[in-house]
Amino acid sequence: MPLRPYIVGNWKMHGTRATLSEARAIDRAAQRHMKVEVAIAPPYTLIHPVHREAEQIAVGAQDCHDQESGAHTGEISAAMVADAGAKFVILGHSERREAQSENDALIRAKAQAALAAGLRVIMCCGEAEKVRDAGRAVAHVKKQLKASLPETIEDAAEKLTVAYEPIWAIGTGKTATPEDIAEMHGEIRKLLIALFGEEDGAEIRILYGGSVKPENAGEILNVPEVGGALVGGASLTADSFMGIALAAGEAEEG
Ligand code: PEP
């Protein structure tokens, strides 16, 4: 049975305990939209408070270290975020690939650590504008994704989600065209089937991310092979985030 559309909020470095009211409102609204799986990844400091309050939504982390423990000042392990209540972790986000110079090998090691700690993984991939302009977007994303994902994942359809996020669309108000999204998601699907087999590879959800808002969500979520959205700015308030979840529910009904 196909998995439900997955709408995930990445709160990035936004939110304090005062923001818990938004998480609560998202959770209450998600209880009325059961056809859609809703989750948020707040800053580390809010993982446990959100987990404690949430009845419906899953809470996740925006990153984790590749080691279980040790002398890594300022870092946090997969087991630690799981202990705080996280059920998943976002890995390979372009902001970390760029600002923290994370490469594919490190991201793969983080994914292995996360899976070993019982977390689900949302693996991000995407191309810069100059790569798309040069006509190399598909080849770039497939290479990046293949090198970032662990070679084997048990129950991959359940444990893994891929998020295609063109870097030039993140936080810019620009979005890829439905045709470009369809082409990229179709290519990612073929790669996932090649990597994880027909059964799991066909089921793994592929999210689109990059300036998704309630106003454009319907069009994007209706594109073939789009299994949900990874949402930054528009996930910070329950109103806009749940507007996207509503569009996902409508896209599911066709
Ligand atoms: C993101 O950073 O994952 C993202 C999609 O951000 P935004 O929705 O703000 O473009």
Side-chain angles (χ1 to χ4, degrees), residues 10-30:
N10 172 12
W11 280 13
K12 309 193 184 188
M13 200 170 71
H14 298 287
T16 59
R17 283 181 297 160
T19 329
L20 278 175
S21 55
E22 288 302 328
R24 223 174 281 127
I26 290 169
D27 186 62
R28 299 304 170 265

Side-chain angles (χ1 to χ4, degrees), residues 28-125:
R28 299 304 170 265
Q31 295 176 24
R32 299 192 295 275
H33 295 288
M34 299 290 282
K35 286 197 191 108
V36 180
E37 189 174 342
V38 179
I40 55 174
Y44 297 127
T45 49
L46 291 181
I47 290 176
H48 192 247
V50 173
H51 164 71
R52 226 177 25 211
E53 299 229 1
E55 290 173 10
Q56 183 61 35
I57 62 170
V59 61
Q62 299 169 20
D63 185 43
C64 68
H65 201 269
D66 65 319
Q67 302 292 308
E68 277 176 38
S69 61
H72 303 291
T73 303
E75 295 289 349
I76 191 157
S77 73
M80 289 169 186
V81 296
D83 182 56
K87 296 286 183 275
F88 68 93
V89 60
I90 298 170
L91 293 173
H93 193 282
S94 59
E95 286 159 11
R96 294 201 61 85
R97 288 182 187 264
E98 279 177 15
Q100 269 72 36
S101 307
E102 292 194 2
N103 62 26
D104 296 337
L106 175 64
I107 292 162
R108 172 181 276 174
K110 289 181 176 206
Q112 281 159 338
L115 292 164
L119 295 170
R120 291 158 72 188
V121 168
I122 299 179
M123 180 61 73
C124 300
C125 56

Side-chain angles (χ1 to χ4, degrees), residues 1 38 42 58-59 77 109 150 163 181 183 193 197-198 201 218:
M1 190 160 116
V38 179
V59 61
S77 73
I181 298 173
E183 182 194 24
I193 289 172
E198 184 62 49

